[in-house]
């Protein structure tokens, strides 16, 4: 039963992402900024060493 609940939640989120993309709430610029932020959070020690984690620049 837990497996089905997880699958339903995953499908719900994927449909929500698709709808947000189609209606312009999620853009390529937003995804690029999100990727940069996640890289900076998980690789913070590289940021302190001066590594540039900007995507696509």
């Amino acid at each position: 039963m837990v497996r089905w609940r997880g699958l339903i939640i995953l499908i719900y989120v994927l449909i929500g992402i698709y709808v947000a993309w189609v209606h312009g709430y999620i853009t390529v610029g937003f995804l690029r900024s999100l990727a940069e932020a996640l890289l900076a959070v998980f690789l913070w020690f590289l940021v302190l060493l001066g590594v540039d984690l900007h995507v696509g620049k």
Side-chain angles (χ1 to χ4, degrees):
M1 188 63 174
V2 174
R3 192 176 294 182
W4 282 105
R5 186 179 307 164
L7 182 62
I8 291 171
I9 291 171
L10 177 65
I11 291 171
Y12 182 86
V13 169
L14 290 175
I15 292 171
I17 290 171
Y18 174 75
V19 170
W21 179 271
V22 168
H23 289 277
Y25 291 103
I26 298 175
T27 62
V28 175
F30 171 75
L31 294 176
R32 184 176 292 128
S33 297
L34 181 63
E36 289 175 355
L38 289 174
L39 282 173
V41 167
F42 290 110
L43 301 175
W44 59 266
F45 53 90
L46 293 177
V47 175
L48 292 178
L49 293 173
V51 175
D52 184 15
L53 297 177
H54 291 287
V55 177
K57 291 185 181 179

